[in-house]
Amino acid sequence: MTEQITTVTAYAAPAPDAPLERTTIPRRAVGETDVLIDIKYAGICHSDIHQARDGWGEGIFPMVPGHEIAGVVTQVGPGVTKFAVGDRVGVGCMVDSCRTCENCEAGLEQYCTRGNVGTYNALDKNGEPTYGGYSTHIVVDEAFTVRIPDGLPLDVAAPLLCAGITTYSPLRRWNAGPGKKIAVVGLGGLGHMGVKIAHALGAEVTVLSQSLRKKADGERLGADHYYATSDDATFEQLAGTFDMILSTVSAPLPLDKYLGLLRPEGAFVNVGAPEEPVSLNLFSVIGGGKTLAGSMIGGIRETQEMLDFCAEHGLGSEIELIRADQINEAYERVLASDVRYRFVIDAATI
């Protein structure tokens, strides 16, 4: 690798709904405050599938997904102060923002008023498309790079860059901890990290899943209780129980039923993003003064805080390591809920 713009190997979707295939992509020169990262592992997030298949709107193709990136710094720009060659680092869902708006200055770069720059399926400040972590290398500004603590293996750390921060941020915001009853809807890539983190924060944790198929897993991961939402008795038994419900599923839910599970002034927080609109009777929030909310990843400072917390508590993602030539198969298995609980690509196979 040189300081000039170069090409690297990657897996890309050439068009919407097309299978991903091995190809090459350009990477920019290492600039003043950039780091060049030798990607070791990249997680597969459900949002990769949504975007590669135009589920959230028109995408930019060819598309190289991947925003759960763990690797090692192999080169730094002359102005870099945070990192050195050999450092273990991560890159999450964004690689830039305006950095000057009120939200950016508050450490909420994900809510940049001018729009953050996504790690993939976005245009950078030069109008060039961004390409994600299903590749061998990536160049990222040090301001959007985080340090992976030595106590976290890189393979199980990769999914924390999305699944970890996406669940950690709202659990912190709504003060999950001792004395709080937290429910996690869905025990998948996001949900299993929500259970682990809520448990480590000291909350009483309940999993609400379609069936009891994963009950043993849920309890192993830290759930105190586990209920099937396919059983109407669940909603009667748990009415008015929870301080917070964290919904991690990407399918539309009957919100009125779930809001009935909250205590007065409780919060139902969405981090899963269904492609379809959902309906709601507003009396479900007015009665009981409840909150229906959303949360999107977290800022860079909070992402580093999350990684440090996970290292302190020994929390990594539960992963199935795959070769790059298994990506298309992995997508179908994600859609079939046939993964426990995050696919991670070994970048050495790209």
Side-chain angles (χ1 to χ4, degrees), residues 100-177:
T100 58
C101 72
E102 181 180 6
N103 292 341
C104 287
E105 290 188 343
L108 298 171
E109 299 93 344
Q110 75 274 33
Y111 303 131
C112 175
T113 57
R114 298 176 196 172
N116 71 68
V117 177
T119 303
Y120 69 90
N121 195 27
L123 297 176
D124 66 19
K125 289 180 177 177
N126 298 318
E128 297 296 325
T130 57
Y131 299 114
Y134 298 7
S135 57
T136 59
H137 298 79
I138 191 169
V139 178
V140 182
D141 191 290
E142 67 169 341
F144 285 79
T145 306
V146 288
R147 185 179 304 279
I148 296 178
D150 289 339
L152 281 175
L154 291 180
D155 55 354
V156 300
L160 301 181
L161 277 304
C162 174
I165 185 58
T166 295
T167 51
Y168 179 88
S169 183
L171 287 168
R172 278 295 202 193
R173 180 178 168 190
W174 275 274
N175 300 310

Side-chain angles (χ1 to χ4, degrees), residues 18-332:
L20 277 75
E21 57 189 35
R22 195 168 187 259
T23 186
T24 58
I25 55 168
R27 289 297 191 195
R28 71 170 185 263
V30 175
E32 178 73 17
T33 57
D34 286 336
V35 295
L36 172 65
I37 301 168
D38 179 1
I39 297 174
K40 300 299 184 184
Y41 301 99
I44 292 179
C45 177
H46 201 148
S47 60
D48 297 346
I49 304 173
H50 284 297
Q51 294 184 78
R53 300 186 176 183
D54 269 358
W56 289 345
E58 189 173 346
I60 302 169
F61 292 88
M63 184 188 298
V64 177
H67 57 207
E68 298 181 337
I69 301 168
V72 176
V73 174
T74 59
Q75 185 182 334
V76 299
V80 168
T81 59
K82 289 174 59 180
F83 302 102
V85 171
D87 283 352
R88 306 162 80 250
V89 294
V91 179
C93 300
M94 53 187 171
V95 290
D96 210 347
S97 69
C98 82
R99 312 191 195 193
T100 58
C101 72
E102 181 180 6
N103 292 341
C104 287
E105 290 188 343
L108 298 171
E109 299 93 344
Q110 75 274 33
Y111 303 131
C112 175
T113 57
R114 298 176 196 172
N116 71 68
V117 177
T119 303
Y120 69 90
N121 195 27
L123 297 176
D124 66 19
K125 289 180 177 177
N126 298 318
E128 297 296 325
T130 57
Y131 299 114
Y134 298 7
S135 57
T136 59
H137 298 79
I138 191 169
V139 178
V140 182
D141 191 290
E142 67 169 341
F144 285 79
T145 306
V146 288
R147 185 179 304 279
I148 296 178
D150 289 339
L152 281 175
L154 291 180
D155 55 354
V156 300
L160 301 181
L161 277 304
C162 174
I165 185 58
T166 295
T167 51
Y168 179 88
S169 183
L171 287 168
R172 278 295 202 193
R173 180 178 168 190
W174 275 274
N175 300 310
K180 293 293 183 75
K181 293 185 176 181
I182 307 296
V184 176
V185 183
L187 192 68
L190 290 174
H192 91 283
M193 286 309 309
V195 170
K196 284 190 172 192
I197 291 169
H199 175 74
L201 287 167
E204 182 179 332
V205 185
T206 297
V207 173
L208 300 175
S209 185
Q210 284 184 303
S211 73
L212 300 179
R213 184 167 56 95
K214 300 178 183 177
K215 182 179 180 182
D217 275 5
E219 293 172 344
R220 174 176 61 83
L221 296 170
D224 299 287
H225 315 284
Y226 201 108
Y227 291 89
T229 56
S230 56
D231 184 352
D232 286 338
T234 291
F235 292 90
E236 299 171 12
Q237 184 178 349
L238 299 179
T241 294
F242 301 109
D243 297 287
M244 174 193 177
I245 299 173
L246 182 67
S247 176
T248 69
V249 300
S250 57
L253 295 175
L255 293 180
D256 300 297
K257 288 180 68 175
Y258 281 88
L259 287 162
L261 302 179
L262 291 172
R263 290 176 170 177
E265 299 191 342
F268 184 97
V269 185
N270 295 275
V271 293
E275 295 178 5
E276 309 91 342
V278 296
S279 62
L280 172 70
N281 184 330
L282 283 174
F283 283 104
S284 296
V285 291
I286 294 170
K290 297 167 185 177
T291 297
L292 177 63
S295 181
M296 187 174 77
I297 53 172
I300 299 300
R301 183 171 62 230
E302 189 174 43
T303 301
Q304 186 64 63
E305 176 187 306
M306 175 276 304
L307 286 169
D308 295 340
F309 176 88
C310 287
E312 178 186 350
H313 293 273
L315 306 182
S317 184
E318 306 283 309
I319 69 167
E320 181 176 333
L321 196 63
I322 63 167
R323 301 185 311 273
D325 62 10
Q326 297 174 290
I327 292 172
N328 293 307
E329 175 191 346
Y331 273 24
E332 296 307 318

